[in-house]
Amino acid sequence: MSRITQEDIQHIAELAKIHVDEKEGENISQKLSNILDLVEKMQGINTENIEPLAHAIYQNQKLRNDIATSENQRDYYQRLGQVTEDGFYLVPKVIE
């Protein structure tokens, strides 16, 4: 059984520059210990004849055809901008 101590939690909290009170630290310690116990159990499972999966459910994604459904309206939208040039919006320089 892996055990994350209160000191471990306080050390991690200090590194992360966050405050964790003692009661909250005990709760976090228990939850993290439970996660590590689960990982240890999973390490003991025989996966010798199991193919690796990219995803738990193999399904084909239904994709639509890549067809333009509206006209290019760049010129119309650029008329709304204050200053444009060669298809770009011009803005004031903000960094010297």
Side-chain angles (χ1 to χ4, degrees), residues 74-92:
R74 182 182 72 183
D75 294 333
Y76 168 75
Y77 289 118
Q78 288 204 327
R79 283 198 314 249
L80 303 175
Q82 290 184 356
V83 182
T84 61
E85 182 180 302
D86 295 328
F88 295 99
Y89 294 98
L90 301 179
V91 296

Side-chain angles (χ1 to χ4, degrees), residues 25-76:
E26 273 302 314
N27 187 22
I28 293 170
S29 171
Q30 182 62 43
K31 288 181 179 181
L32 288 175
S33 293
N34 290 343
I35 291 170
L36 291 177
D37 289 342
L38 178 62
V39 170
E40 279 185 33
K41 287 179 186 176
M42 290 171 59
Q43 293 294 335
I45 296 173
N46 181 7
T47 59
E48 189 172 314
N49 295 321
I50 309 243
E51 292 289 324
L53 298 174
H55 194 278
I57 300 173
Y58 280 113
Q59 292 182 337
N60 290 333
Q61 183 72 9
K62 295 179 182 176
L63 301 175
R64 63 177 173 79
N65 292 330
D66 189 14
I67 300 171
T69 57
S70 63
E71 296 178 24
N72 181 352
Q73 298 182 10
R74 182 182 72 183
D75 294 333
Y76 168 75

